Amino acid sequence: MAVRLLVLGCKTMREGVTVSAVFLVGAILLLLAAEHVVPDVLHIRHIVLFFALVLIILAPIVLISTFLLSVIPGAREKLDKCEH
């Protein structure tokens, strides 16, 4: 099972970059929502800010892990077949 998680191809490379971008945009939207939209009732603003912080932390982790998977020995042959 763990071996299948480390399989990298053209599609997974694109998906990693897309997920990272979605996390970053989602975090920015949550930060703006917490600042301007969410009322300060029952600490809801802090909960929304916490989720924004989690997304901000996860975005570079996903991007860096995708990069690190692409530089593993043996990944170059798979990535050379990609059409960019």
Side-chain angles (χ1 to χ4, degrees):
M1 178 92 178
V3 176
R4 287 187 174 169
L5 292 176
L6 294 177
V7 174
L8 183 69
C10 302
K11 185 176 179 184
T12 55
M13 190 87 154
R14 285 186 208 112
E15 288 173 352
V17 173
T18 304
V19 166
S20 180
V22 167
F23 280 178
L24 186 63
V25 169
I28 291 170
L29 290 176
L30 281 175
L31 283 172
L32 290 174
E35 183 69 28
H36 300 291
V37 178
V38 177
D40 198 16
V41 177
L42 298 174
H43 303 290
I44 295 175
R45 182 176 292 171
H46 292 97
I47 295 170
V48 173
L49 284 173
F50 172 74
F51 285 127
L53 178 67
V54 168
L55 287 178
I56 285 177
I57 291 171
L58 284 177
I61 289 174
V62 170
L63 196 60
I64 290 170
S65 65
T66 304
F67 169 73
L68 290 177
L69 282 175
S70 69
V71 295
I72 323 182
R76 180 168 299 279
E77 293 83 25
K78 292 178 186 175
L79 293 177
D80 284 340
K81 298 175 187 174
C82 294
E83 295 179 15
H84 299 286

